[in-house]
Each structure stands twice: as structure tokens, then as C-alpha cells.
């Protein structure tokens, strides 16, 4: 197609034929949404939301808190579902559906039900310390301290993550849940900040991008929010890292159709096993491609884990089947009991009906007998009266005859 258009242009130029001039669309402007912003969360959030989420979309803010992000967005612009571990007691907006005591890692929403989701969990490792007195956050952040710093969930003794790894784990698990409730093409907006943990630089935004791409998300955009005031510290002996005065808004998109293949080497909770990485051939492998050498011990360990997982799955299925049978048996027993009770009730009803019929029949028979007896008695009386009258008449006639003879 391009070759044809080039040929046509050459012909027009050679023969002096004037063709239609291409007109560039759009207009010149400097009023753009830039990737770096100095100010507060609500200013940048309103601009990035207008850029990436169309008005009227169904949006879930799963870490709503006091609703600080939404201060500059007109009420009713979006179908907003606000939830958090502990929602602040503020004036409620009639256009917002609120839901309290909701963990961003376990959302009460159906699959593929939202166009966009906003995630802003605590991003400091201080929230995840074992001792309550050593944890970061107070006031409005107290709910984070109590819920996310759960020793049962983040117990290092059981192999669970701790310190900054607990922060990353929270983001990854919340990301998996976000992927479940987002529709294909849905947008995930994540707020995060890098930190220094245990004197080690941890680039949280890189870890999140890597982990989310592992899940199939596409990192569509990134915004840097710079504080307008200068940060300070209460005690400083020697500075060894730059003080963080910026945070990030990461924009992810859930691809339509089949998700992207895993291309990250970082572990995420969605993976069945951690990727095995070995030495890379110096010559780039066969055919100039990078090949990864296998680790037998690691493979054996993975195989053992797979076998154990298979046994566990089979045992779970067996237990589920047994529970199903037990439930079915209980259902049959209950149905039989109901049938028996219904039969007894029906039998009792039949007996009662038969008894009533018998009693009515007896009553009718007795009534008939009584009526017949009365009739018989009346007939007897009538006969006896006639007989008496006849006898009286005969006696009278006899007397008259006797008297007549005497004369």
C-alpha cells in the first residue's frame, strides 16, 4: 500500500499533476498532562484519572480512607465504590457506595465487575514490624497497623515475608485480587514510594512493575509526585542515601484477550514455583540465544514440591468428595424423614376421616332405627285404636240386638 502511494506521488511530481495536500490534525498547545508534578495527591490524581479513566466508569477505591484523592473530582463523575479497613467518619456523598472493614487482598466484588481500581496501601516497612510499639503509623493510619501488621500472616519463622518484603507481598496480593475484579481493558492505579529498609535501597515502584507484569498487567504510564515542602529528620548522624521527597502513581492496564506471557524473573504469589536461574553461557548459547543451565538439586526440590502439592490436591478432592457424599446421605435421610412424617400425617388424617365417616354412619343408622321404631309404635297405636273402636261398636250392636229380642 505504501509502495503504491509513493509511486503515485512520483507520477504526480513528474507530470506536474497537483495532488491533494495532506492536512495535519490537532492543535498546538502546552496544556498537557506531564509525568512529573509538584503538589498534592488530589491535584495529580484528578488529572491522571481524566487522562486514563472515562467519566461514568465503574471505579473501586479499595483503600479509600478519608477520600483525599477524590477532593478535586466533582461528585457523580464516576460510579465510585469506596472501601477500606476502616473508613473515616465524614460527610458521606450520596453518589458513592461505601463499604467498611474490607481488606484490599480479599474484595467482596464479583469477577470482571470494574472498569478501574485505585490502590494506595501503606508502603512503609514500619507498618509490618512484629512489635506493636515499633510499628509506624498513628492516627488515621492505626487501622493499617492493626490489620496489615498481622503476625500470623507475616511470621518470618514460618517463612513468611517481613520488613520491606511484607510491603511488596501486600502489593502483589492486592494486585492479584485487582486482576480478578477488573474487566479486560480495565485500569489499575497504584500509589507507592521507594524506601530504605535495613540500610538497603528498595525501589518499590520497580518491584511492583516487575511483579504486576508477571501477573499479566501492562504498565501503561508512570507519574512522579514531588513534595512542595522540604522533608526533614529528627536525628541525623550521617546521610548515606538521598532523602525521598517524591512518590509514584503507576498506571496498569489489564490487556484484552489473552494476557501477556510471563517475562519477569521475580516471584509473585500467582506463580506455582520460583523461577530457577543458573549460569548463562558466555557465547549466548546455541544459535546465539541465551540459555539457562539447569540445577539438578533445585529441580529435585521443585519435583518434590509438585508431588506434595499433587498429593495435597488429591487429598483435598477426596475430602471434598467424602463431604459431598456425607451431605447427600444427610439430604436423603432428611428427605426420608420428611416422607415418613408426611405418611404418618396422611395415615392419621385418613383414620380420622374414616372414624368421622363411621360415627356419622352410626348416627344416621341410629336415627333411621329411631324413626322406624317411632313409626312402628305409631302404627301399633293406630291399629289398637281401630280394634278398640271396632270392639266397642260390636258390643253396642250386640246390646241393641239383645234389647230388640227382648221386646
Amino acid at each position: 500500500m505504501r509502495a503504491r502511494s509513493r509511486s503515485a506521488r512520483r507520477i504526480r511530481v513528474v507530470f506536474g499533476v497537483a495532488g491533494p495536500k495532506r492536512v495535519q490534525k490537532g492543535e498546538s498547545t502546552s496544556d498537557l498532562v506531564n509525568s512529573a508534578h509538584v503538589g498534592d495527591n488530589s491535584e495529580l490524581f484528578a488529572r491522571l484519572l481524566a487522562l486514563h479513566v472515562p467519566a461514568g466508569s465503574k471505579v473501586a477505591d479499595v483503600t479509600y480512607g478519608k477520600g483525599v484523592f477524590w477532593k478535586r473530582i466533582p461528585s457523580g463523575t464516576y460510579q465510585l465504590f469506596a472501601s477500606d479497613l476502616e473508613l473515616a467518619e465524614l460527610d458521606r456523598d450520596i453518589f458513592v457506595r461505601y463499604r467498611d472493614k474490607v481488606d484490599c487482598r480479599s474484595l467482596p466484588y464479583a469477577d470482571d465487575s470494574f472498569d478501574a481500581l485505585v490502590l494506595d496501601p501503606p508502603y512503609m516497612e514500619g507498618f509490618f514490624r512484629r512489635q506493636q510499639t515499633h510499628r509506624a503509623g498513628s492516627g488515621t493510619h492505626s487501622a493499617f497497623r492493626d490489620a496489615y501488621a498481622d503476625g500470623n500472616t507475616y511470621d518470618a519463622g514460618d517463612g513468611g515475608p517481613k520488613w520491606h518484603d511484607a510491603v511488596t507481598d501486600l502489593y502483589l496480593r492486592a494486585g492479584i485480587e485487582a486482576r480478578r475484579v477488573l474487566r479486560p481493558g480495565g485500569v489499575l492505579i497504584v500509589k507507592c514510594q521507594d524506601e530504605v529498609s535495613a540500610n538497603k535501597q528498595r525501589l518499590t515502584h520497580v518491584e511492583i512493575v516487575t511483579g504486576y507484569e508477571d501477573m499479566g498487567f501492562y504498565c501503561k504510564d508512570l507519574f512522579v509526585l514531588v513534595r512542595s515542602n522540604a522533608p526533614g529528620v529528627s536525628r541525623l548522624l550521617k546521610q548515606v542515601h538521598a532523602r525521598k521527597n517524591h512518590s509514584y502513581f503507576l498506571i496498569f492496564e489489564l490487556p484484552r484477550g489473552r494476557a501477556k506471557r510471563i517475562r519477569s524473573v521475580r516471584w509473585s504469589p500467582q506463580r506455582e514455583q520460583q523461577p530457577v536461574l543458573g549460569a548463562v553461557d558466555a557465547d549466548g548459547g546455541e544459535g546465539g540465544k541465551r540459555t539457562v543451565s539447569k540445577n539438578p538439586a533445585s529441580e529435585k526440590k521443585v519435583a518434590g514440591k509438585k508431588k506434595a502439592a499433587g498429593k495435597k490436591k488429591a487429598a483435598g478432592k477426596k475430602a471434598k468428595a467424602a463431604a459431598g457424599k456425607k451431605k447427600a446421605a444427610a439430604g436423603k435421610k432428611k428427605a426420608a424423614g420428611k416422607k415418613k412424617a408426611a405418611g404418618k400425617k396422611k395415615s392419621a388424617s385418613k383414620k380420622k376421616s374414616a372414624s368421622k365417616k363411621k360415627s356419622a354412619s352410626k348416627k344416621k343408622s341410629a336415627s333411621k332405627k329411631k324413626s322406624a321404631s317411632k313409626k312402628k309404635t305409631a302404627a301399633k297405636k293406630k291399629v289398637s285404636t281401630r280394634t278398640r273402636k271396632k270392639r266397642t261398636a260390636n258390643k253396642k250392636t250386640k246390646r241393641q240386638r239383645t234389647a230388640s229380642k227382648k221386646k
Side-chain angles (χ1 to χ4, degrees):
M1 191 71 185
R2 285 181 180 176
R4 285 182 183 179
S5 61
R6 285 172 187 166
S7 300
R9 275 202 299 272
R10 287 195 194 106
I11 291 166
R12 283 197 294 269
V13 170
V14 171
F15 292 98
V17 180
K21 188 178 180 181
R22 186 178 176 185
V23 179
Q24 296 287 349
K25 295 181 180 180
E27 58 183 13
S28 177
T29 180
S30 60
D31 185 18
L32 302 169
V33 179
N34 298 316
S35 59
H37 181 85
V38 179
D40 61 22
N41 286 297
S42 62
E43 291 173 357
L44 179 55
F45 183 75
R47 302 199 75 183
L48 68 88
L49 206 64
L51 179 63
H52 289 289
V53 183
S57 298
K58 190 177 177 183
V59 183
D61 189 339
V62 298
T63 48
Y64 184 79
K66 287 187 174 183
V68 175
F69 284 1
W70 299 88
K71 287 195 301 183
R72 297 176 187 271
I73 298 171
S75 180
T77 305
Y78 297 94
Q79 300 176 53
L80 178 58
F81 289 72
S83 64
D84 210 331
L85 290 168
E86 189 177 314
L87 288 173
E89 292 294 330
L90 300 171
D91 293 335
R92 297 291 173 94
D93 189 334
I94 59 171
F95 293 101
V96 180
R97 295 168 180 83
Y98 296 93
R99 202 155 185 169
D100 205 2
K101 295 180 175 58
V102 175
D103 191 330
C104 63
R105 297 166 296 181
S106 178
L107 299 175
Y109 304 126
D111 296 358
D112 306 332
S113 55
F114 286 94
D115 301 308
L117 188 141
V118 182
L119 177 65
D120 178 29
Y123 41 75
M124 293 188 298
E125 56 89 8
F127 283 106
F128 301 91
R129 293 172 184 165
R130 291 293 304 277
Q131 293 184 22
Q132 180 75 15
T133 53
H134 292 176
R135 293 175 194 160
S138 60
T140 57
H141 292 85
S142 58
F144 290 142
R145 296 176 57 162
D146 298 335
Y148 291 121
D150 182 2
N152 295 324
T153 306
Y154 300 108
D155 187 355
D158 295 334
K162 62 177 182 177
W163 309 114
H164 180 81
D165 290 334
V167 177
T168 311
D169 185 78
L170 171 59
Y171 271 103
L172 293 175
R173 294 186 187 281
I176 289 171
E177 191 68 352
R179 186 181 66 174
R180 181 183 68 80
V181 301
L182 281 173
R183 294 168 181 151
V187 174
L188 172 58
I189 302 170
V190 180
K191 177 73 190 299
C192 68
Q193 184 175 356
D194 301 337
E195 67 171 342
V196 175
S197 175
N199 206 32
K200 293 288 187 295
Q201 184 71 257
R202 302 300 296 265
L203 301 177
T204 311
H205 77 285
V206 176
E207 294 171 344
I208 293 171
V209 170
T210 308
Y212 281 19
E213 285 188 344
D214 204 349
M215 298 175 200
F217 280 104
Y218 156 57
C219 189
K220 187 179 181 182
D221 222 334
L222 178 147
F223 295 88
V224 181
L225 178 64
V226 181
R227 287 175 58 171
S228 54
N229 58 337
V233 291
S234 56
R235 292 174 297 166
L236 177 65
L237 296 175
K238 182 183 177 182
Q239 186 174 2
V240 292
H241 296 96
R243 181 69 174 174
K244 305 290 184 292
N245 70 330
H246 70 282
S247 56
Y248 300 91
F249 276 101
L250 306 175
I251 313 298
F252 295 93
E253 186 178 77
L254 192 62
R256 298 179 188 276
R258 192 174 179 180
K260 293 181 180 180
R261 293 181 64 187
I262 294 172
R263 57 184 178 182
S264 159
V265 297
R266 176 171 176 77
W267 175 83
S268 76
Q270 190 67 10
R271 286 270 188 92
E272 290 182 2
Q273 64 193 50
Q274 291 190 26
V276 180
L277 300 178
V280 180
D281 293 346
D283 59 352
E286 187 180 345
K289 295 181 181 178
R290 291 168 64 87
T291 57
V292 181
S293 62
K294 295 179 180 178
N295 188 334
S298 181
E299 282 188 351
K300 196 175 180 182
K301 192 177 179 181
V302 169
K305 282 185 178 179
K306 273 191 176 179
K307 195 175 180 181
K311 283 183 179 179
K312 196 176 180 181
K313 196 175 181 181
K317 282 185 179 178
K318 202 173 180 182
K320 198 175 181 180
K325 283 182 181 179
K326 198 175 179 182
K327 196 176 180 181
K332 283 182 181 178
K333 197 174 180 182
K334 194 176 180 181
K338 281 184 178 180
K339 201 173 180 180
K340 195 175 180 181
K344 283 184 178 179
K345 197 175 181 180
K346 196 175 180 180
S347 178
S349 178
K350 280 184 179 179
K351 280 183 179 179
K352 195 175 180 181
S353 179
S355 178
K356 280 183 179 180
K357 278 184 181 179
K358 196 175 181 181
S359 177
S361 179
K362 280 183 178 180
K363 201 172 182 181
K364 195 175 181 181
S365 178
S367 177
K368 281 182 179 179
K369 279 183 180 180
K370 195 175 180 181
S371 178
S373 178
K374 278 183 180 180
K375 280 182 180 179
K376 197 174 181 182
T377 305
K380 279 181 179 180
K381 278 183 180 181
K382 199 174 181 181
V383 168
S384 62
T385 303
R386 283 178 185 173
T387 306
R388 209 181 299 122
K389 281 181 180 180
K390 201 173 183 182
R391 281 178 184 173
T392 306
N394 288 339
K395 279 181 180 180
K396 194 176 180 180
T397 305
K398 207 173 183 181
R399 283 177 194 153
Q400 284 177 355
R401 284 178 184 172
T402 303
S404 178
K405 282 179 181 181
K406 280 181 179 181
K407 278 184 177 183

